[in-house]
Amino acid sequence: MIFIFYYPESRGVVFFDIDYTLSNMPECDRETIIQHCIDKGYDVGIITASNRPIHYLVNCDGTANKELSPWLSNTLAKYLHDTNFRTYNTMSLTTGVELPFPNFEYDHRMYGLKKGWQMKVSIDKFRYNKSKCYMFDDQKIVLDSANDICDGVNYIHIDNNNPFRQLNISLIKRLIK
């Protein structure tokens, strides 16, 4: 028997960086942000330049590993677990599986190029509508470099130390409708 998965092209995805994006955002908004995105029909996930293994974030039962990842939303942990980590991207995982990167030159743009490539792989694999794809990251060079690989998506620069650039529910509600 062959199963064909249908992913409507009107779907979108919201990817978050970890360090200095999710890790230091206003704690009161963590669960609300993820739930808002899901309620609006978006997939949610992570694109990080770190190499955190799955068990570092999520326990076997789908709960957040708060000991190693105190910043992780319980809702995001459950979502990643329940979707077999298809929206989890690290320096060794793309769409939740090991997938070799193209050979990017090792320079200041490398992490952004890798994240852009992971965004493109996700869009192609799950047929996301590019205009409904978001990446939140604290490094402008990463966002600019990602855009060189995967244009047409929404790259949002976050600075949780600046009240006008914080990742918070107010920003998410303005963007994710």
Side-chain angles (χ1 to χ4, degrees):
M1 181 179 296
I2 297 174
F3 291 98
I4 298 174
F5 293 97
Y6 173 69
Y7 297 104
E9 291 182 24
S10 62
R11 282 179 359 148
V13 63
V14 181
F15 284 113
F16 301 94
D17 174 48
I18 295 175
D19 297 308
Y20 302 103
T21 304
L22 283 178
S23 66
N24 69 336
M25 66 173 285
E27 187 174 343
C28 62
D29 287 345
R30 283 189 186 131
E31 293 294 339
T32 310
I33 284 173
I34 300 303
Q35 191 61 55
H36 176 81
C37 295
I38 293 169
D39 290 347
K40 294 298 182 182
Y42 285 76
D43 284 344
V44 290
I46 290 174
I47 295 183
T48 180
S50 72
N51 206 17
R52 291 172 171 97
I54 287 171
H55 74 272
Y56 192 94
L57 274 70
V58 181
N59 297 314
C60 292
D61 64 358
T63 59
N65 183 341
K66 293 293 188 178
E67 182 179 330
L68 297 174
S69 300
W71 50 267
L72 184 61
S73 146
N74 290 318
T75 304
L76 181 54
K78 182 175 176 4
Y79 187 88
L80 290 170
H81 179 267
D82 291 351
T83 60
N84 201 29
F85 298 92
R86 72 173 186 231
T87 56
Y88 186 53
N89 301 274
T90 69
M91 286 296 102
S92 62
L93 299 174
T94 298
T95 65
V97 297
E98 288 187 24
L99 192 63
F101 284 102
N103 190 17
F104 294 114
E105 187 175 333
Y106 188 80
D107 66 11
H108 66 285
R109 300 182 64 230
M110 180 188 69
Y111 295 114
L113 296 172
K114 286 183 173 186
K115 287 184 177 190
W117 181 79
Q118 289 175 315
M119 176 72 91
K120 184 172 177 4
V121 167
S122 296
I123 289 168
D124 292 346
K125 185 173 184 175
F126 301 114
R127 301 180 66 189
Y128 292 121
N129 177 335
K130 273 188 164 186
S131 69
K132 292 184 176 182
C133 293
Y134 293 83
M135 183 189 300
F136 294 87
D137 200 294
D138 66 300
Q139 296 185 46
K140 182 127 174 50
I141 186 71
V142 166
L143 296 171
D144 291 344
S145 300
N147 187 57
D148 289 345
I149 298 290
C150 184
D151 65 347
V153 303
N154 302 284
Y155 295 103
I156 312 298
H157 183 218
I158 296 299
D159 178 354
N160 286 320
N161 295 316
N162 178 339
F164 300 106
R165 289 200 167 277
Q166 281 186 344
L167 176 56
N168 58 35
I169 192 60
S170 176
L171 172 65
I172 294 298
K173 284 184 174 181
R174 283 195 313 269
L175 296 173
I176 310 297
K177 298 178 182 184

